[in-house]
Structures are given as structure tokens and as C-alpha cells.
Amino acid sequence: MKNGILISVVAALSLTACDEAVEAPVVEEKLGDYSALGTEPGWAAQIKGDQIIFATMEGNDFTLAVQRMKKTDAGWEVKGFSDVDNINIYISTGVECSDGMSDRTYADTVKVEASRSGTLNGCGGDFTEGPDGAP
């Protein structure tokens, strides 16, 4: 009787293991190195490798490790945080932006939510047009 129960349990476990599908690992896309800036108030953010470097005219500067980098329908979300600072960067790719001071047009519109600085708007990516009308 014990052998019959043991065989039934082993058979049930074997069938259960066969039903489990093996999922392929998720390969996340990487944004790569990226620069953004804004005026009034002045700020700059750079993504270099796995680091976010953030600086403001007021001196609210910090460097954080990238905790999350996610491609979205609109562009990218990049987030970093520590015990002291945090930053969320939202990049709208292909939504051209003028920085308002240099007459340059950039490929992307960027919104940053940063500790001690609040919500900041600006531009990022490549220049699409320079001050003289040339790319």
C-alpha cells in the first residue's frame, strides 16, 4: 500500500513538472549615454553607463546608480535613488524641444523629477537644428 501511494505521488509530481513552461529571460533594452538640460532654473542630467549625474545652478548636485531603465511607448523612463536623493527622468523621444536660450532644437523633450529640485522640464538627445538653422 505504501509503495502504491509513493508511486502515485511521484507520478503526480512528474506530471506537474512537465506542465511548467520555461520562460525565456527578459532582455531589457539600454538607452546608452544620454544628455539633457533645462533652463530657468538651469539644470543638466547625464546618463553614463549605469550612473545618473544631475546638477543644478542652485548646487543640488548628485550622482546615483541607475535603478531602473525602461523603454516605454513614449520613450524612456530612467530612475535612480539613494537614502538621500532620488530622480525620475522621463524622455519623450521624437518630440522636438527648444531650450529657449541657445536657439537649438533637440530631438527629445525631457521631464525630470528630482529631490530638492522638484519637477523640471527641458530637452535632450541630439541637436536637430542649431542657432544658425543648420543641424
Side-chain angles (χ1 to χ4, degrees):
M1 180 77 167
K2 288 183 183 181
N3 286 339
I5 293 173
L6 181 60
I7 291 172
S8 297
V9 169
V10 170
L13 289 174
S14 297
L15 289 175
T16 303
C18 292
D19 288 341
E20 293 179 20
V22 176
E23 292 184 30
V26 175
V27 177
E28 293 187 28
E29 292 183 62
K30 295 281 184 177
L31 174 61
D33 290 352
Y34 189 87
S35 294
L37 58 88
T39 58
E40 298 182 33
W43 62 271
Q46 290 185 314
I47 300 165
K48 288 190 171 199
D50 291 332
Q51 297 288 312
I52 301 168
I53 303 155
F54 180 72
T56 68
M57 298 292 286
E58 291 82 25
N60 296 334
D61 306 354
F62 55 81
T63 299
L64 295 173
V66 172
Q67 301 292 330
R68 181 176 183 191
M69 183 178 290
K70 177 182 173 185
K71 183 150 179 54
T72 66
D73 291 339
W76 291 89
E77 291 179 8
V78 182
K79 299 180 180 200
F81 56 88
S82 70
D83 292 341
V84 178
D85 293 302
N86 65 68
I87 190 167
N88 299 320
I89 302 172
Y90 303 97
I91 302 167
S92 298
T93 54
V95 179
E96 286 190 342
C97 175
S98 172
D99 68 15
M101 292 190 84
S102 70
D103 294 327
R104 286 190 175 123
T105 303
Y106 295 79
D108 307 324
T109 297
V110 178
K111 179 173 89 171
V112 172
E113 297 169 343
S115 57
R116 296 181 283 142
S117 296
T119 300
L120 304 165
N121 295 302
C123 306
D126 297 327
F127 301 134
T128 57
E129 187 176 310
D132 60 358

